[in-house]
Amino acid sequence: ATNLDLPEKAGVINLYIPNRWNSTYLMIGEAMEYNGALNNYASGNGEIAPDDVEWTNAEVMCAFLKAFEEATKLVSADRTPTTHLFLHMVLCIHQALRDPQWSTSGTMSNLVYAMGQKFDKYWKESKMNVAVVIATILDPTKKSDFLEFFFEKYCENVDDIEKCLEGVKDMMRSYYEKYEEARRTTEHSVSRQLSANIGSPVLGKRRLEEEFAQYKSRRRSYMQPKSELDMYLEENFDSSGGSFDILIWWKTHAEKYPMLSTMPRDFLAIPLSTMSSESAFSCSGRTLGDSRCSMTPGTLEALVCGKDWLIKIPNNEGMILFSLFGLETSLLVD
């Protein structure tokens, strides 16, 4: 690798693992980077090296699988919301499978066709998930405009576009009304409890003033010509300012949309994959091994949570923090 002016690599190139499809992408990607070294090794050891056509096919396949590698990383994210990005990811995969450039190669053409058949089987034959649709609308960078764009790209029949959009709008409004009704019921029950707890005339006067203030607030909200949902959908959002955090956006706009802001707490918390929860169990199993089987439940919980917190803060600050609490930091980084 040094003679060929290639980057040094410790260990061996990632190999193909049958039960992990992305290992194919990683293997081909690294093989393309070290193709000169691999050809020299094959020539020096009496092996048959890939010819130029095979290397070209590998390069095309690597470019094709890149979209799926990015989708896998997005789905497996466990520290950021992912539900609102699902339809965008599906559209990227759909476009990748329909790209005409893959038809130039016989191998890629057959591969893409087989993947497209499998994709259509699991997507078009099933109904669209309600939580995914609502989470997409609750993304201020997408809203219903992206859904219209999505259906125009995905629906093969033009008549289905308007039908899908109307169904999505009715679905979103129905869920919003349920949340609104639940909040009104909660506010009414709270006001009744306040009335029941009135003790003295002075306290009763104060409670009555509070109830009247709540009544005026509700009355003004009823008199508004547009609901929070309508105002949110009509608001223009400029997403050209760089990175965007959907949780921070809803936190800063909670006062503007007090009713609507309760929905992202439920829908954006839904993960696209169970990988994060499965890895959490694996982490506890590695922490409580054969050599650490005498730890108390409290110590085990502190170590598992501590390692998770260390990922979120700088290493030096994390080590100082856990040293102050008397935790053995060497256990956290195993």
Side-chain angles (χ1 to χ4, degrees), residues 39-319:
N39 286 337
N40 288 345
Y41 176 84
S43 300
N45 292 271
E47 301 288 344
I48 300 177
D51 55 26
D52 294 339
V53 176
E54 291 174 326
W55 280 118
T56 301
N57 290 335
E59 184 178 1
V60 173
M61 184 174 295
C62 184
F64 171 73
L65 293 178
K66 183 175 177 59
F68 299 89
E69 169 70 4
E70 294 175 352
T72 302
K73 290 182 178 180
L74 186 148
V75 171
S76 59
D78 60 349
R79 300 181 183 279
T80 56
T82 54
T83 312
H84 63 294
L85 302 174
F86 178 75
L87 292 182
H88 177 77
M89 178 190 65
V90 169
L91 189 59
C92 291
I93 294 176
H94 178 265
Q95 293 296 99
L97 293 174
R98 299 298 187 272
D99 197 325
Q101 67 171 321
W102 311 123
S103 60
T104 57
S105 171
T107 303
M108 285 300 303
S109 178
N110 297 332
L111 174 64
V112 171
Y113 176 79
M115 294 178 67
Q117 293 295 313
K118 184 73 70 172
F119 178 82
D120 293 338
K121 175 183 177 181
Y122 284 98
W123 176 255
K124 290 191 175 181
E125 295 180 4
S126 59
K127 294 182 179 180
M128 187 175 297
N129 189 284
V130 176
V132 169
V133 174
I134 294 180
T136 304
I137 298 176
L138 292 175
D139 185 347
T141 64
K142 295 181 174 63
K143 300 184 182 181
S144 55
D145 294 335
F146 178 81
L147 290 175
E148 183 175 356
F149 173 76
F150 174 85
F151 289 127
E152 287 182 358
K153 288 283 187 180
Y154 197 83
C155 293
E156 297 179 354
N157 191 348
V158 180
D159 297 334
D160 293 337
I161 299 176
E162 191 64 28
K163 181 180 179 181
C164 291
L165 288 174
E166 290 298 326
V168 166
K169 292 178 181 178
D170 294 341
M171 183 192 310
M172 181 65 185
R173 197 166 299 280
S174 174
Y175 270 86
Y176 173 77
E177 291 175 354
K178 291 180 181 179
Y179 272 76
E180 194 173 29
E181 181 181 357
R183 181 170 180 176
R184 290 175 183 174
T185 304
T186 303
E187 291 179 351
H188 181 66
S189 62
V190 171
S191 63
R192 291 186 61 183
Q193 291 177 3
L194 292 175
S195 301
N197 294 331
I198 294 177
S200 63
V202 176
L203 181 60
K205 179 182 178 182
R206 187 181 307 126
R207 298 298 188 192
L208 187 62
E209 291 175 352
E210 292 178 357
E211 288 187 40
F212 179 60
Q214 293 178 1
Y215 173 79
K216 287 195 301 182
S217 177
R218 291 196 302 269
R219 185 176 178 83
R220 288 171 182 171
S221 64
Y222 298 153
M223 296 174 62
Q224 288 181 352
K226 297 180 180 179
S227 65
E228 290 183 17
L229 178 60
D230 294 328
M231 291 188 295
Y232 165 75
L233 294 176
E234 293 177 2
E235 181 186 14
N236 293 325
F237 176 77
D238 185 11
S239 59
S240 60
S243 60
F244 170 74
D245 192 322
I246 188 172
L247 297 181
I248 295 179
W249 191 92
W250 276 109
K251 183 178 180 180
T252 55
H253 289 74
E255 294 184 0
K256 185 176 182 179
Y257 306 109
M259 179 59 250
L260 188 62
S261 61
T262 59
M263 297 182 66
R265 301 174 187 175
D266 295 332
F267 288 96
L268 296 181
I270 302 174
L272 287 179
S273 173
T274 59
M275 186 178 299
S276 58
S277 59
E278 293 171 357
S279 62
F281 286 105
S282 301
C283 176
S284 60
R286 291 192 298 269
T287 304
L288 187 63
D290 296 334
S291 59
R292 300 172 185 163
C293 57
S294 61
M295 286 191 297
T296 63
T299 304
L300 175 62
E301 181 180 1
L303 291 174
V304 173
C305 294
K307 184 175 182 179
D308 185 72
W309 296 337
L310 279 173
I311 300 176
K312 298 293 291 182
I313 57 180
N315 291 334
N316 293 336
E317 296 180 9
M319 293 301 178

